[in-house]
Amino acid sequence: MFAQKMLASSWLLKSGWIFAVLAFSAPLKAEWYSDSAGIMGTNIYVEVWAETPVQGQLALRTVMAEMERINQLMSPYIETSELSMINANAGTKPVAISDEMFELLDKSVKISELTKGAFDITFASVGYLYNYKESERPDEATIASLLDAINYKHIVLNKENKTVSFSNRNVKIDLGGIAKGHAVDNSVSLLQRMGILHGLVTAGGDTRLIGDRRGKPWIVGIRDPRNKEKQAVVMPLQDSAMSTSGDYERYFEEDGQRYHHILSPKTGKSTYEVQSVSIIGPSSTFNDALSTAVFVMGLREGLGMINRIDGYDAVIMDNQRKMHYSNGLQQ
Ligand code: ADP
Ligand code: MG
């Protein structure tokens, strides 16, 4: 009893102290708050306009925690992730999965249908044999023996039981082309629920903006695929999002050939029609997946598709370094 009282009063004392320190050391005025971290194998950056330091710090911490949560769920490199568990078991039996995973797999399959198979998370059936850091790639015979496994139609989703199974034992999935967009969308929802009206969340090539930069647009750059110090284009944006896919994020070179991380589901090999694709639209999840898809489809087919999707635009640099813009961006 006495101890409890002591604890309670010391807690009061302490929290009073914390309050006093916050009140005197930090100006209680609205400001920009920002933070960066390395999560999901990429750079995370968040910037918000907050009314108080407490709100600002909470916003930054909320986003970083959300990024880490999704990393633990969807990383192929973490053995205990839900994704790893699916890959280990879904080839032999239906696996019960979370609502969040079910919805993202369902979205991925729908985007495969929309992009005629250019976006396909089963690319990983061959893709997992590439190790860009170690300059490793599968040989022709191995690719040929696994190519049948790349087909989103092998993904069987059962809506009632919330399970996934693969109709081919060699299927592996990877969410590298959509998970960062999903994480950015989730983070933005969390910030909006906290009352943030101006903010930016970036995970690697995926950026989404809340509002504007207080009276001016946000400026989001598309980097030069062959010079990381240079921007190829800058886009003024507000209340929107943009994702970029490039052949420079993860790659190695061998005999003058660039082996990079965006693979054609038809061949199990890197594609070479374009160097960079940016998609601008309201959803980071879709931007992310569509930028990967258009990269695979190439200039003509990819631009044609984006021109047919309402609310989405594209900026493409082809393999001759020529820039191309969708109809919505041509004034
Ligand atoms: P990043 O931001 O990592 O550059 P991208 O949006 O460009 O990501 O997507 C590239 C990632 O998508 C690859 O690292 C891989 O995990 C995955 N991927 C590669 N090819 C495909 C494909 N054809 N369909 C779906 N995902 C793919
Ligand atoms: Mg993408």
Side-chain angles (χ1 to χ4, degrees):
M1 190 61 194
F2 179 71
Q4 250 171 7
K5 259 194 195 153
M6 279 287 287
L7 265 177
S9 64
S10 85
W11 185 84
L12 266 179
L13 248 174
K14 255 193 220 145
S15 59
W17 249 106
I18 291 168
F19 184 77
V21 168
L22 275 178
F24 288 109
S25 64
L28 280 175
K29 65 174 180 24
E31 266 193 87
W32 288 105
Y33 293 84
S34 67
D35 195 13
S36 60
I39 308 173
M40 299 196 286
T42 196
N43 292 325
I44 309 294
Y45 179 72
V46 49
E47 192 176 342
V48 297
W49 178 264
E51 295 303 321
T52 65
V54 173
Q55 189 196 27
Q57 294 305 334
L58 185 64
L60 302 180
R61 257 184 280 133
T62 300
V63 170
M64 294 308 180
E66 179 64 4
M67 296 288 176
E68 190 50 46
R69 187 188 68 78
I70 290 174
N71 187 39
Q72 293 298 327
L73 211 63
M74 301 185 178
S75 169
Y77 306 110
I78 298 174
E79 247 177 74
T80 53
S81 73
E82 192 172 18
L83 183 99
S84 296
M85 193 200 58
I86 294 170
N87 278 334
N89 298 297
T92 51
K93 57 172 191 261
V95 177
I97 55 176
S98 64
D99 288 356
E100 182 176 5
M101 182 62 84
F102 192 91
E103 271 161 40
L104 201 60
L105 295 186
D106 192 48
K107 242 177 224 173
S108 297
V109 169
K110 290 195 170 118
I111 295 170
S112 295
E113 287 162 357
L114 175 75
T115 61
K116 302 206 171 75
F119 181 84
D120 189 333
I121 58 174
T122 68
F123 83 93
S125 312
V126 172
Y128 89 101
L129 294 168
Y130 287 85
N131 184 333
Y132 301 97
K133 273 198 194 122
E134 306 293 331
S135 303
E136 285 167 11
R137 62 189 172 92
D139 59 35
E140 295 290 339
T142 310
I143 294 177
S145 72
L146 291 172
L147 212 49
D148 274 357
I150 304 185
N151 190 338
Y152 63 91
K153 290 177 183 152
H154 290 316
I155 303 173
V156 182
L157 292 167
N158 182 313
K159 228 185 164 108
E160 273 87 68
N161 304 336
K162 286 276 160 64
T163 61
V164 61
S165 59
F166 301 146
S167 60
N168 175 312
R169 293 179 77 97
N170 290 327
V171 170
K172 286 195 171 27
I173 56 169
D174 185 291
L175 297 169
I178 194 167
K180 287 194 285 277
H182 169 70
V184 168
D185 279 338
N186 271 13
S187 299
V188 163
S189 298
L190 291 168
L191 291 177
Q192 285 171 328
R193 253 179 272 160
M194 293 174 64
I196 298 294
L197 298 174
H198 308 276
L200 170 151
V201 180
T202 292
D206 303 297
T207 298
R208 186 164 157 193
L209 299 330
I210 304 174
D212 64 357
R213 212 175 182 292
R214 291 182 37 91
K216 46 190 178 191
W218 294 93
I219 304 295
V220 184
I222 300 173
R223 80 157 252 211
D224 183 326
R226 295 294 174 268
N227 182 351
K228 64 167 168 277
E229 313 300 328
K230 258 174 67 183
Q231 311 268 33
V233 183
V234 293
M235 302 287 301
L237 295 172
Q238 58 190 60
D239 256 326
S240 182
M242 179 167 91
S243 290
T244 299
S245 289
D247 62 8
Y248 49 84
E249 285 286 351
R250 265 187 279 272
Y251 73 96
F252 64 91
E253 273 172 323
E254 198 184 295
D255 301 329
Q257 178 82 316
R258 176 180 287 245
Y259 295 93
H260 68 80
H261 68 149
I262 301 175
L263 304 181
S264 160
K266 284 191 194 132
T267 63
K269 297 176 188 171
S270 313
T271 61
Y272 297 102
E273 246 196 76
V274 301
Q275 292 183 357
S276 160
V277 174
S278 301
I279 303 291
I280 299 150
S283 154
S284 274
T285 310
F286 280 104
N287 291 345
D288 190 7
L290 288 175
S291 68
T292 307
V294 170
F295 198 103
V296 171
M297 294 165 101
L299 179 64
R300 210 180 52 85
E301 200 191 339
L303 208 51
M305 178 186 71
I306 294 299
N307 279 331
R308 288 190 299 272
I309 305 178
D310 236 17
Y312 285 80
D313 275 298
V315 180
I316 302 177
M317 186 188 270
D318 68 21
N319 58 14
Q320 305 302 307
R321 297 179 53 79
K322 188 168 182 279
M323 304 298 301
H324 304 265
Y325 299 87
S326 62
N327 294 341
L329 295 174
Q330 294 177 10
Q331 298 97 7

